[in-house]
Amino acid sequence: LVYLAIATPQRFHRRDTLLALFWPELDTEHARAALRRSLYFLRRALGDGVLVGRGDEEVGLAPERLACDVQAFECALAEARLTDAVELYKGALLPGFYVAGAPEFERWLDGERVRLHDRALDAAWKVAEQLDSAGDARGAAMLSRRVTALAPYDEPAHRRLITLLDRVGDRAAALRTYDELAKRLRTDYELTPSAETTQLVDAIRARRDAPAPESSHATQATMPAVAPLFTLLPTTIAVLPFSVRGSRDIGYLGEGIVDLLSTTLDGAGDFRTVDPRALLRHVAEEQAADLDPARGRAIAERFGAGSFVLGSIIESAGQLRVSATLYDARLGPGAREETRTEVRGASETGIFDMVDALARQLLAAQSRGPDARRARLVALTTHSLPALKAYLRGESEFRAGRYFQALAEFQDAATEDATFALAYFRLAAAAAAVANLELARDSTEQAWRHRDRLTEHDRLLLDAQRAWLRGSADEAEALLTSVVSTHADDMEAWFLLGDVQFHHNPLRGRPMAEARTAFEHALRYDPGHVSSLLHLARIAAVERNGEELDAIVERVLELSPAGDRALSARALRAFTVGNQIEKARVVTALGGARGLAVGIAFTDIVLYARDLSGAYRLARLFTKLVRTPEEKALCHFVVAHLELTRGRARAAREELSTADAFDHPWSLELRALFAALPFVRVPAEELTAVRAELERWDPSLARLNRNQVLSVHNGVHPMVRTYLIGLLAARSGDDAEAQRRAAELDARDDEIARSLSLGIRAASLRAADRGDEALALVESDNPQLWYQHAIRSPFYSRSYERFMRAELLREAGRDEDARAWYRTLGESSPYELIYLAPSALRRAEIAERAGRPRAAAENRIAVAKLWAGADEDLEIGK
């Protein structure tokens, strides 16, 4: 789709060209089959009339049916609308986009990136020159900064910017620009700036302390009035904690004012504020005494703010006096006071009006011209003081990683003020952190109803969170990417972006480790963000980086020793590095922990530490310790999966038989799933028996399950039963029955049901040696599912379909695509572990064909370890 939308000629492209670009390693017959599958997928995804053809050998896109920003950019340049073109160019074309096994396409894409980048830079310089010629030196310099941001190592571009800054009198900014360039070159390439650049800067330094020459009256009269230009963003304001004196009862306002005033200022006119959560964490990290202007400027500079606010709150005889000072952070090493304002109130109940008055006066000092008169404040978060106090306590608990306590505080805030949008928004985040999907979704919808009380920025975050909780990961990722592109200091947005990538990537064939960048950005602005640290710890465990893992866990325990995630962090480290003493301590602690903490710790042990033996012993232990039938059933189900992961199919079936007494529906479903697996040898009579048992079973009689994990199938047992009968029919070669069951699922008008229907149809097509058609079906499948459902259910995770997709890709000759899907199996849920050995075996075969003997050997060793005690019921690769 990218190639058809961007490549020239813009309308039609020969099929032979596409074959050479995307499938160079295939013979003509297989390459053409691959192209047909791709075109089939595009037609389904795009709808009628978008993909068009000319004759039998040319394909293209109807330009009136598909908008493309690259084409809009090219059109703006062709029509000499340079400003529009510059606005359209947001950075490199498709950064990080990669198509495995298509080197010609990669070369084409690299060339397009360079071409478009160069055209954007050329247009931006022309616009900057036009602005400079028109007397708008400030605008020219600001645009020049954007150019240098796009070309961070381009010395000629930096020299032009330095020269312009020097000419408008901002020599300090010119010198900082040089220092940043020199540091970047030294750090990234061990280079120093050229002699030409150094001579330019030396000349500026030589004049820096010289007195300015006296200008004649005529010169002053003809020079255009130019506003100072600064390195930091002039429209970004950092609100710092206020000092509090007087009654202890108002101590919460010291940090609370940061939330209140930041929320009120953000989005007023052209102004935005630094993310209060990231700022408060940074201030807490410094552990210093009262803030002063020097520290204030340093903090503002760290967050790219051109101004900052310091203030105090004084209580005396029940009266409050709040004073605030706005400082300009952009001049030299110090900070210049711009305005000071003060408001008074009868008591803390008047804090909302006082904040409103402060914001208006501060904005008036910052705004100039008619825009200042038009700027209006966003709606306040709440007018209830008890709601505000509960909300601020919740924020404090959330920052410390105490999610259950945070959830209770946010619930209190929402109870006090039923229209408190921010409280609902944060309540949803806390609920998601403790795996309470229903509460998270309900709270998000409540926030959505009152979104007019949020800033535009928070509304975008709410949109992203809402999409994520609904399972629309692609939409959430796009929204969050947009947020961080304009609010780079938004720690919460970076974390949510990482969370989406970490949990959803395996479900779309991408490694979860891609999330590392987003989590590292979150920590840049909030070094104490426990959730980001924990996700990075998991990535370190998967990558077997013991040193990094140890450092992260120590940091988590230092920040939140009693937090909800401390135990899982300890478990992850102990079972990854094999510390037997710490393992024993963790097991003891798990015996007295709440169920959610046990579940998270166990998942960390089995998925990321990948200690299957330790997980097996732990599951066996808990089988004896737990008391309720549901808990016993869950333990047996986990043991059954671990047995099959180790190749012990008969032991797995025996474990499910034991579990049947505690939870018949789940036990029957898992026995049927194990029988449908392509790598387990099952006699025909057993397939018939399991299928018959499913057909006799009435799933509507299944009782509601109260266990947090097993309850995921409440109400969906009929759908699962239909799906499993269809899979078993497909494996038995009964295509008519498989198609009938798939049609039943289609009739449910449910997204996951339609996805499972595709799985049945694809399995049936594959059994009939119609692999191309089967692959087209599974590649068209992209259900929007909340990742915690995928963790809790082998059917919601679509692990059977993902393994089949990898197999079909391998059979189609698309080894690298297949390898990517094989690698992600086992990263989402303990139920996926059964695919570890078959996937490793397939990766070994792919590596051997690609001439990578070391990778092949590593994968075969992994298979040998996993299936060391395997029984003869396994048949993959034989």
Side-chain angles (χ1 to χ4, degrees):
L1 178 62
V2 167
Y3 184 79
L4 294 177
I6 296 175
T8 53
Q10 293 178 8
R11 185 70 187 274
F12 294 103
H13 306 273
R14 289 192 57 79
R15 288 176 180 256
D16 290 344
T17 302
L18 299 176
L19 299 182
L21 273 172
F22 292 100
W23 299 281
E25 79 285 1
L26 299 184
D27 58 45
T28 301
E29 180 182 353
H30 284 91
R32 284 189 171 271
L35 176 59
R36 285 195 299 273
R37 285 195 301 272
S38 296
L39 297 179
Y40 171 81
F41 169 77
L42 283 179
R43 288 193 178 96
R44 285 175 59 96
L46 299 175
D48 295 338
V50 180
L51 190 66
V52 294
R54 185 167 63 186
D56 295 332
E57 290 301 318
E58 291 183 314
V59 294
L61 298 172
E64 70 278 4
R65 297 294 305 277
L66 187 74
C68 174
D69 58 347
V70 174
Q71 296 298 351
F73 171 78
E74 300 264 31
C75 183
L77 289 177
E79 297 173 1
R81 293 183 286 108
L82 300 183
T83 301
D84 291 344
V86 171
E87 286 301 315
L88 281 166
Y89 190 81
K90 304 299 184 185
L93 172 66
L94 296 171
F97 188 79
Y98 173 71
V99 177
E104 290 301 322
F105 175 79
E106 287 301 310
R107 280 192 281 273
W108 170 81
L109 183 58
D110 287 341
E112 287 299 291
R113 287 176 178 140
V114 172
R115 183 180 69 84
L116 293 169
H117 181 266
D118 290 347
R119 297 199 73 188
L121 290 184
D122 182 64
W125 278 125
K126 288 178 179 176
V127 174
E129 290 166 357
Q130 291 171 2
L131 291 172
D132 194 22
S133 299
D136 186 359
R138 178 180 182 179
M142 291 183 72
L143 189 54
S144 300
R145 281 203 171 281
R146 182 172 176 182
V147 174
T148 56
L150 292 173
Y153 306 103
D154 187 338
E155 282 200 59
H158 282 78
R159 284 198 296 272
R160 292 175 74 169
L161 174 59
I162 290 168
T163 300
L164 184 56
L165 291 170
D166 179 42
R167 185 159 58 76
V168 299
D170 195 358
R171 293 172 186 162
L175 295 176
R176 280 197 297 274
T177 299
Y178 170 78
D179 290 339
E180 291 166 1
L181 171 65
K183 181 179 179 180
R184 194 178 301 117
L185 290 172
R186 181 176 63 254
T187 302
D188 296 348
Y189 293 106
E190 298 184 356
L191 296 175
T192 57
S194 66
E196 186 177 357
T197 306
T198 304
Q199 290 167 6
L200 171 64
V201 172
D202 287 344
I204 294 173
R205 285 198 174 107
R207 297 196 310 273
R208 181 174 54 180
D209 299 323
E214 295 184 7
S215 302
S216 66
H217 179 75
T219 302
Q220 292 175 4
T222 56
M223 282 287 289
V226 178
L229 178 72
F230 304 101
T231 302
L232 305 181
L233 297 176
T235 56
T236 300
I237 302 172
V239 180
L240 305 178
F242 283 30
S243 62
V244 180
R245 296 199 292 274
S247 170
R248 291 184 178 180
D249 293 340
I250 65 167
Y252 71 94
L253 286 175
E255 291 189 356
I257 201 77
V258 178
D259 268 302
L260 275 176
L261 193 52
S262 295
T263 300
T264 305
L265 291 171
D266 195 45
D270 294 328
F271 297 104
R272 61 166 294 253
T273 52
V274 171
D275 176 19
R277 299 181 189 98
L279 186 143
L280 285 172
R281 170 62 71 181
H282 175 70
V283 171
E285 286 287 316
E286 290 192 340
Q287 297 180 340
D290 288 346
L291 294 167
D292 56 28
R295 282 191 65 223
R297 183 191 183 281
I299 294 170
E301 188 174 37
R302 172 183 173 83
F303 288 96
S307 304
F308 63 94
V309 177
L310 287 174
S312 63
I313 304 172
I314 300 175
E315 185 274 338
S316 179
Q319 300 288 310
L320 283 187
R321 187 169 81 243
V322 183
S323 60
T325 304
L326 179 69
Y327 291 90
D328 190 330
R330 300 167 290 170
L331 288 177
R336 185 184 68 193
E337 180 181 317
E338 280 205 337
T339 189
R340 180 176 297 179
T341 185
E342 182 177 297
V343 295
R344 297 173 182 265
S347 68
E348 60 179 324
T349 58
I351 191 65
F352 304 105
D353 291 333
M354 288 185 273
V355 168
D356 191 41
L358 279 178
R360 291 185 186 280
Q361 294 178 46
L362 293 172
L363 280 173
Q366 281 287 85
S367 304
R368 293 169 176 80
D371 286 342
R373 292 191 296 273
R374 290 198 296 269
R376 66 182 181 85
L377 299 182
V378 298
L380 285 175
T381 55
T382 180
H383 292 281
S384 164
L385 187 62
L388 172 66
K389 288 183 175 180
Y391 170 79
L392 296 175
R393 289 195 298 267
E395 283 293 323
S396 178
E397 296 288 358
F398 199 94
R399 285 195 295 272
R402 295 187 289 268
Y403 302 114
F404 283 100
Q405 294 91 325
L407 185 145
E409 295 291 357
F410 290 136
Q411 283 179 316
D412 287 347
T415 300
E416 292 288 347
D417 180 357
T419 66
F420 195 172
L422 265 181
Y424 286 120
F425 177 44
R426 300 297 288 157
L427 174 57
V434 298
N436 190 334
L437 176 61
E438 289 72 22
L439 177 59
R441 283 179 170 168
D442 289 345
S443 302
T444 298
E445 293 306 314
Q446 288 287 348
W448 181 257
R449 293 187 188 98
H450 304 291
R451 61 188 179 277
D452 58 321
R453 301 187 70 184
L454 296 171
T455 66
E456 182 180 355
H457 172 213
D458 281 334
R459 280 197 293 270
L460 272 176
L461 280 178
L462 175 62
D463 289 345
Q465 179 175 275
R466 189 169 183 248
W468 181 213
L469 289 170
R470 289 180 167 189
S472 301
D474 295 340
E475 179 186 353
E477 185 177 38
L479 286 168
L480 292 165
T481 301
S482 174
V483 171
V484 298
S485 69
T486 56
H487 290 69
D489 64 335
D490 191 331
M491 171 273 302
E492 196 70 21
W494 279 116
F495 169 72
L496 282 173
L497 178 59
D499 202 43
V500 170
Q501 294 172 341
F502 183 90
H503 291 293
H504 195 71
N505 271 6
L507 303 181
R508 51 188 177 180
R510 289 163 50 184
M512 66 180 184
E514 281 184 5
R516 175 188 287 276
T517 299
F519 291 132
E520 288 176 344
H521 272 88
L523 289 171
R524 180 180 303 171
Y525 298 106
D526 183 356
H529 193 252
V530 172
S531 292
S532 292
L533 287 166
L534 285 168
H535 281 77
L536 286 174
R538 290 164 178 156
I539 293 173
V542 169
E543 295 175 346
R544 293 299 179 262
N545 189 334
E547 186 176 347
E548 180 182 356
L549 172 62
D550 185 62
I552 294 174
V553 171
E554 282 300 313
R555 179 70 172 143
V556 169
L557 298 179
E558 174 190 346
L559 289 166
S560 185
D564 298 330
R565 299 294 186 266
L567 181 55
S568 63
R570 288 173 52 203
L572 180 65
R573 178 173 62 179
F575 282 81
T576 300
V577 302
N579 186 321
Q580 299 302 321
I581 295 176
E582 184 61 14
K583 277 186 184 182
R585 291 172 177 166
V586 165
V587 171
T588 301
L590 286 173
R594 68 172 83 203
L596 179 63
V598 174
I600 292 173
F602 183 83
T603 301
D604 283 349
I605 291 169
V606 74
L607 284 187
Y608 312 123
R610 200 55 66 79
D611 185 344
L612 299 182
S613 297
Y616 180 84
R617 290 193 296 272
L618 197 59
R620 279 288 184 207
L621 173 64
F622 275 95
T623 302
K624 300 174 183 177
L625 294 179
V626 296
R627 297 182 178 181
T628 70
E630 293 162 327
E631 291 172 331
K632 287 185 177 296
L634 179 58
C635 289
H636 285 296
F637 296 150
V638 169
V639 171
H641 277 81
L642 290 172
E643 291 282 23
L644 187 54
T645 301
R646 300 193 299 174
R648 295 161 51 87
R650 289 192 295 275
R653 285 193 287 269
E654 290 170 5
E655 201 67 34
L656 292 179
S657 295
T658 303
D660 195 77
F662 304 110
D663 193 317
H664 175 67
W666 265 84
S667 176
L668 175 57
E669 289 164 352
L670 292 178
R671 281 192 287 121
L673 177 63
F674 284 7
L677 293 174
F679 48 84
V680 177
R681 184 183 290 110
V682 181
E685 58 272 19
E686 185 175 333
L687 282 176
T688 302
V690 174
R691 181 171 152 188
E693 187 176 356
L694 279 171
E695 290 172 340
R696 290 193 303 270
W697 173 49
D698 183 356
S700 66
L701 300 179
R703 60 181 176 80
L704 293 179
N705 209 314
R706 294 171 298 174
N707 181 273
Q708 190 171 19
V709 175
L710 301 180
S711 63
V712 71
H713 283 181
N714 285 348
V716 299
H717 288 296
M719 176 188 73
V720 173
R721 170 183 174 269
T722 301
Y723 167 69
L724 288 168
I725 293 173
L727 276 191
L728 292 172
R731 182 164 193 189
S732 301
D734 187 350
D735 180 66
E737 177 67 3
Q739 296 301 327
R740 189 170 76 82
R741 296 299 180 174
E744 286 181 22
L745 291 173
D746 287 335
R748 292 178 64 91
D749 192 28
D750 176 84
E751 191 164 19
I752 183 60
R754 286 193 296 272
S755 178
L756 295 176
S757 168
L758 287 177
I760 294 173
R761 296 183 193 277
S764 192
L765 286 168
R766 187 182 180 215
D769 293 325
R770 295 162 64 186
D772 286 353
E773 296 171 69
L775 181 57
L777 278 182
V778 295
E779 288 192 318
S780 69
D781 186 27
N782 184 29
Q784 303 300 297
L785 302 171
W786 174 234
Y787 80 90
Q788 287 186 359
H789 279 166
I791 293 175
R792 293 154 61 191
S793 166
F795 307 107
Y796 280 99
S797 73
R798 296 161 42 256
S799 51
Y800 180 94
E801 284 73 22
R802 287 158 55 205
F803 181 76
M804 178 168 56
R805 181 173 186 163
E807 292 279 87
L808 289 166
L809 287 166
R810 179 184 58 83
E811 291 163 7
R814 294 166 58 184
D815 279 0
E816 289 306 307
D817 291 340
R819 188 168 68 93
W821 282 93
Y822 285 128
R823 284 178 62 88
T824 62
L825 284 159
E827 289 190 347
S828 293
S829 166
Y831 293 121
E832 295 177 10
L833 296 173
I834 56 179
Y835 298 94
L836 284 181
S839 295
L841 183 59
R842 293 305 194 205
R843 294 206 310 273
E845 295 169 358
I846 290 171
E848 286 163 354
R849 284 196 294 273
R852 298 195 298 265
R854 182 174 179 180
E858 289 174 350
N859 280 295
R860 289 199 177 275
I861 290 171
V863 174
K865 288 181 178 178
L866 285 166
W867 280 357
D871 53 41
E872 60 183 16
D873 289 346
L874 303 174
E875 62 179 354
I876 189 168
K878 294 184 180 180

